[in-house]
Amino acid sequence: MITITEKAAKHVATFLAKRGKGLGLRFGVRTSGCSGMAYKLEFVDVANPEDHVFESHGVKVLVDPKSLPYIDGTELDFVREGLNEGFKFNNPNIKDQCGCGESFNVQ
Amino acid sequence: MALLQISEPGESTAPHEHRLAVGIDLGTTNSLVATVRSGMAVVLSDALGRPLLPSVVSYRGAGVVVGHEAQAQQSVDPKNTIVSVKRFMGRGLRDIAHFESMPYDFVAAEAGAEGMVRLRTSAGVKSPVEISAEILKVLRARAEAALGGPLSGAVITVPAYFDDAQRQATKDAGRLAGLNVLRLLNEPTAAAIAYGLDNGAEGIYAVYDLGGGTFDISILRLSKGIFEVLATGGDSALGGDDFDQRVFCWIIEAAGLAPLSAQDARVLLTRAREAKEFLTSHGEAPITVRLASGEYVDVKLSSTVFAEITKTLVQKTLSATKRALRDAGLGTDEVKGVVMVGGATRMPQIQHAVGELFGQEPLNNLDPDKVVALGAATQANLLAGNRAAGDDWLLLDVIPLSLGLETMGGLTEKLIPRNSTLPIARAQEFTTFKDGQTAMMIHVVQGERELVADCRSLARFELRGIPPMVAGAARIRVSFQVDADGLLSVAAREQTTGVEARVEVKPSYGLSDDEIAGMLKDSFTHASQDAFRRALREAQVEAQRLLEATRSALNEDAALLSAAERALIDDGIIGLEAVLVGDERHAIDEAMAKLNLATADFAARRMNQSVQRALSGRNIAEMES
């Protein structure tokens, strides 16, 4: 189960509207990065039949079955830190992550 | 922890490989920085949420402040507080209008009037490049804080009419600020990109840019992903500030105020600006203020009155717009869309007037203050390699004025014609004019006119070490290369020996806005006169070449001539010399024909003699080998 905060959902909706197309967000992991795994966050134009689809606050989040074990239970949030802003993940599966936060390891 | 942005499908970058790129609108009055986040171009604000950075730099002792803080210093320390430094970029002192009335301590460059002007400040003598770099440094720091990492590159915008000197200065300022300048982009082109006009919308577009202190109108043609600047125009001393001034004067009159103190004038000017901005969304603006003089102002400015008192200003922009259209040879009905740029275009009377002129609603749904920066960010994002599938196009710009070099007689030989798409390289072969000539001066010029004197001089350099040969035998290949930013490098190479000389054009100083705008127009109005002068100069050069050749032949082989023949040739020389300096092209042609006739036998005899010399003393075997 993947959830998305209301604030993040609002931003996603804005981005999608601006982009003019897209079914929602694809959230997943890839094996790369300094701690083994890296998140990927992309717009979705084509859904795959095996995708898990989670919907909250009107935004669809698609996750491929291979990624799900690593990120199940994650909440997507949109935060502002100083001048920077973007998506942050509260992932309960993380054992440790590299300082940059873009890459992580699971338990 | 890093914050993630949404990528296009399949475009997720590996960690630490996000290529952070920004677009920078380095404006006369305000500057902005923008980037593309989650597929959307956004302007980055400072810690206080302010998107605009006033383009003001104030030196305090050896230190420096930029932006709002510097703006506050303007009345306290005008000499060390530089506003509108963009007007000095790539300019010599004599290019700057009314420099004597400015509060700055100008330092003319050493080499006489050539070279960029400098300003003496408390932190030492500073060039406009260094001052602009201070503005860029602040924007860079803002962007790096907002994006959470070092920038991989930036696109900086420049006015379409900026010449090579001004573009080079802008690029230098970017480098000085530690930016990797991916390219410079014309401001109107950036605005057009922000509106997405580059995506398949072919046709003619007008970009109406009314900023704080400057007005620019550009006519662009977009075809096959190439933006061509057909014409530019404007007024470098007309902007939103003039509208404030009109309201200010109206308040004084309406409230019957006595002459104001400097402090009261400042307060009132601020109120005037607020009233102007209020009228954008209201029909009437109340202006109430108690002045230090004790006087109380309480007046109401209606939008009708506001439109009335600023009518001449609006009219001025429309005249410049019509002029630019005329230069481009276009009617208003041929313009497919009008893009509004600059905060002052929010004024309803301007929207209305422009809409009426073009017979269509102008594009204004993007923030006019931000539109140039947004377009630059879009372009920067592409150039940095963050492309979405199908977005593999690259926007091309064109060079605004032809590039060429000076040939004998002060004529321009254009190597790269105006409106060529960038980047471009062209080469052409030239030769020597005199026997035994061992050096050649390469004079690089920019402009549309036929004579060098009417064009702008960009650089001069000398190619030395040409082996002595007869005139016309040396082959010197001159190549011009213009990179994607419109910056030029020139190389000259003698083909037999390979000796080479080159120059990166760091032009000495620029032209005034009016001169640049005028250059294109001049090339049309003077077309027939130029054609005449070119033909005349060509005849003169040809005549000189003939005289040169005849004299050198006489030096060597005068013995081949009878006294009568010699007299005839001398007559011909005198006759040609007499008409050479005049402007009678036909007289020159006739005198040349006469001299040619007089020397025809002489030439034949010399030819025979040299053949005999070459053959004598040789046997058949040698001849055949």
Side-chain angles (χ1 to χ4, degrees):
Chain A
M1 167 91 174
I2 304 289
T3 55
I4 178 163
T5 64
E6 192 178 349
K7 194 166 154 203
K10 246 168 87 182
H11 278 96
V12 174
T14 312
F15 292 140
L16 283 169
K18 179 83 187 174
R19 192 168 170 265
K21 59 175 181 184
L23 309 170
L25 272 190
R26 176 173 299 284
F27 181 36
V29 294
R30 293 182 300 163
T31 48
S32 70
C34 35
S35 291
M37 297 268 176
Y39 294 114
K40 76 177 180 187
L41 193 61
E42 296 176 353
F43 293 112
V44 184
D45 288 327
V46 184
N48 299 319
E50 68 274 16
D51 283 337
H52 295 277
V53 181
F54 304 96
E55 186 164 346
S56 47
H57 301 292
V59 170
K60 283 198 179 81
V61 180
L62 283 73
V63 181
D64 69 276
K66 276 170 75 181
S67 290
L68 193 60
Y70 303 104
I71 54 176
D72 200 8
T74 299
E75 183 195 49
L76 260 76
D77 196 9
F78 190 89
V79 296
R80 181 183 287 272
E81 288 176 358
L83 290 176
N84 197 356
E85 59 180 29
F87 294 90
K88 196 172 177 170
F89 314 102
N90 302 316
N91 184 352
N93 305 298
I94 290 183
K95 190 174 75 184
D96 52 37
Q97 58 183 11
C98 89
C100 63
E102 285 184 50
S103 178
F104 64 96
N105 232 325
V106 292
Q107 281 166 350
Chain B
M1 159 166 184
L3 302 176
L4 250 74
Q5 311 296 331
I6 312 171
S7 306
E8 284 296 314
E11 296 287 312
S12 283
T13 50
H16 312 295
E17 275 182 21
H18 295 298
R19 275 164 289 200
L20 305 176
V22 294
I24 292 176
D25 175 3
L26 185 60
T28 308
T29 318
N30 291 300
S31 297
L32 298 95
V33 59
T35 192
V36 173
R37 266 181 170 162
S38 296
M40 203 167 129
V42 286
V43 166
L44 302 171
S45 298
D46 68 4
L48 296 175
R50 298 173 297 199
L52 299 181
L53 177 74
S55 302
V56 185
V57 175
S58 185
Y59 291 95
R60 273 193 220 159
V64 61
V65 290
V66 179
H68 295 93
E69 212 180 322
Q71 211 168 27
Q73 292 295 309
Q74 209 179 321
S75 50
V76 187
D77 187 9
K79 185 170 155 283
N80 290 309
T81 304
I82 295 101
V83 297
S84 308
V85 66
K86 190 173 178 178
R87 293 183 196 271
F88 309 147
M89 289 291 268
R91 297 300 177 85
L93 188 56
R94 64 175 179 198
D95 299 319
I96 299 167
H98 313 300
F99 70 86
E100 57 286 336
S101 65
M102 292 180 184
Y104 313 124
D105 188 356
F106 287 104
V107 184
E110 279 146 34
E114 302 236 341
M116 212 187 302
V117 68
R118 276 154 216 275
L119 286 80
R120 187 170 288 121
T121 73
S122 66
V125 174
K126 299 284 177 186
S127 73
V129 170
E130 292 170 279
I131 298 166
S132 298
E134 295 297 343
I135 299 169
L136 292 171
K137 276 182 207 164
V138 172
L139 294 174
R140 176 182 160 213
R142 182 192 290 187
E144 291 186 342
L147 301 176
L151 300 180
S152 71
V155 166
I156 305 177
T157 59
V158 290
Y161 58 77
F162 254 29
D163 67 19
D164 235 49
Q166 294 164 301
R167 283 169 199 266
Q168 184 67 55
T170 306
K171 206 173 182 186
D172 288 348
R175 280 202 208 106
L176 199 57
L179 291 167
N180 169 27
V181 183
L182 297 169
R183 73 179 295 183
L184 303 177
L185 185 64
N186 283 332
E187 286 162 10
T189 307
I193 293 174
Y195 273 102
L197 298 182
D198 44 339
N199 292 331
E202 307 229 321
I204 311 279
Y205 293 91
V207 179
Y208 179 103
D209 181 352
L210 188 61
T214 55
F215 171 65
D216 296 312
I217 178 79
S218 311
I219 311 296
L220 307 178
R221 174 163 57 208
L222 175 66
S223 59
K224 300 181 200 81
I226 296 168
F227 276 105
E228 195 180 326
V229 180
L230 296 179
T232 64
D235 190 332
S236 54
L238 173 64
D241 300 346
D242 297 287
F243 289 76
D244 301 348
Q245 193 66 36
R246 289 285 161 96
V247 174
F248 172 80
C249 294
W250 177 84
I251 298 172
I252 291 181
E253 210 168 288
L257 298 177
L260 299 170
S261 68
Q263 192 202 339
D264 278 344
R266 249 196 322 277
V267 171
L268 210 55
L269 200 54
T270 308
R271 289 299 152 87
R273 194 182 63 237
E274 286 164 3
K276 173 190 80 175
E277 285 165 4
F278 192 75
L279 284 174
T280 295
S281 46
H282 300 81
E284 194 173 65
I287 302 160
T288 54
V289 56
R290 185 176 291 283
L291 299 172
S293 63
E295 281 172 293
Y296 190 66
V297 177
D298 184 8
V299 290
K300 281 191 174 71
L301 176 62
S302 72
S303 55
T304 323
V305 171
F306 179 49
E308 192 60 40
I309 59 176
T310 57
K311 210 163 120 190
T312 52
L313 297 174
V314 178
Q315 210 51 51
K316 257 178 155 176
T317 70
L318 296 183
S319 307
T321 304
K322 286 180 203 155
R323 217 176 305 128
L325 279 168
R326 224 171 16 243
D327 285 353
L330 294 166
T332 50
D333 53 332
E334 288 169 87
V335 174
K336 201 168 157 191
V338 187
V339 176
M340 299 298 259
V341 182
T345 60
R346 289 198 185 91
M347 284 183 271
Q349 72 262 45
I350 289 188
Q351 295 281 345
H352 185 74
V354 172
E356 201 162 76
L357 176 66
F358 287 99
Q360 60 178 305
E361 285 300 307
L363 294 164
N364 57 6
N365 51 320
L366 292 178
D367 183 335
D369 280 323
K370 298 179 179 170
V371 59
V372 168
L374 294 175
T378 306
Q379 184 73 1
N381 191 49
L382 288 177
L383 289 171
N386 302 324
R387 293 171 201 196
D391 266 356
D392 49 347
W393 49 270
L394 187 61
L395 184 86
L396 293 169
D397 250 327
V398 296
I399 55 166
L401 292 167
S402 302
L403 293 164
L405 46 75
E406 174 172 358
T407 59
M408 280 305 293
L411 293 170
T412 46
E413 179 77 26
K414 287 174 194 146
L415 262 74
I416 300 183
R418 135 185 153 73
N419 280 334
S420 302
T421 56
L422 302 183
I424 187 173
R426 287 276 171 85
Q428 194 169 323
E429 273 191 9
F430 293 88
T431 188
T432 46
F433 184 75
K434 282 195 175 194
D435 289 344
Q437 184 178 339
T438 58
M440 186 184 246
M441 177 64 86
I442 313 279
H443 182 197
V444 185
V445 296
Q446 184 168 28
E448 301 313 307
R449 303 287 300 274
E450 298 294 332
L451 298 191
V452 166
D454 298 321
C455 289
R456 152 127 210 266
S457 169
L458 288 182
R460 282 172 203 271
F461 67 101
E462 206 168 273
L463 178 68
R464 293 182 169 278
I466 303 171
M469 288 183 245
V470 292
R475 283 162 54 223
I476 291 139
R477 191 175 172 80
V478 178
S479 50
F480 276 48
Q481 197 170 346
V482 187
D483 69 12
D485 301 320
L487 297 174
L488 171 70
S489 60
V490 180
R493 182 186 166 92
E494 203 286 312
Q495 297 291 75
T496 56
T497 58
V499 291
E500 198 177 90
R502 57 170 60 241
V503 68
E504 305 290 320
V505 175
K506 283 251 186 184
S508 44
Y509 64 95
L511 299 165
S512 78
D513 293 356
D514 288 346
E515 278 175 301
I516 294 158
M519 271 174 99
L520 271 181
K521 226 167 98 189
D522 279 0
S523 71
F524 303 132
T525 52
H526 293 87
S528 62
Q529 191 194 342
D530 272 8
F532 166 77
R533 283 157 79 191
R534 168 173 274 275
L536 174 65
R537 289 290 177 92
E538 278 171 354
Q540 286 170 334
V541 169
E542 187 55 25
Q544 256 159 9
R545 197 196 53 74
L546 179 62
L547 286 171
E548 195 74 34
T550 309
R551 284 199 195 99
S552 114
L554 286 174
N555 277 340
E556 287 170 26
D557 295 318
L560 296 174
L561 296 168
S562 70
E565 284 167 333
R566 175 67 197 249
L568 198 63
I569 292 176
D570 283 344
D571 264 4
I573 291 177
I574 293 163
L576 184 53
E577 278 175 335
V579 292
L580 189 59
V581 290
D583 56 3
E584 293 283 332
R585 197 185 117 211
H586 295 292
I588 297 173
D589 284 345
E590 272 168 37
M592 263 168 49
K594 215 168 130 195
L595 182 57
N596 265 325
L597 193 67
T599 56
D601 276 353
F602 180 37
R605 252 175 266 164
R606 292 189 71 215
M607 186 72 82
N608 283 336
Q609 177 182 284
S610 68
V611 170
Q612 275 163 14
R613 269 184 206 152
L615 298 182
S616 65
R618 293 182 177 206
N619 61 31
I620 298 292
E622 274 177 323
M623 292 298 297
E624 282 177 347
S625 66

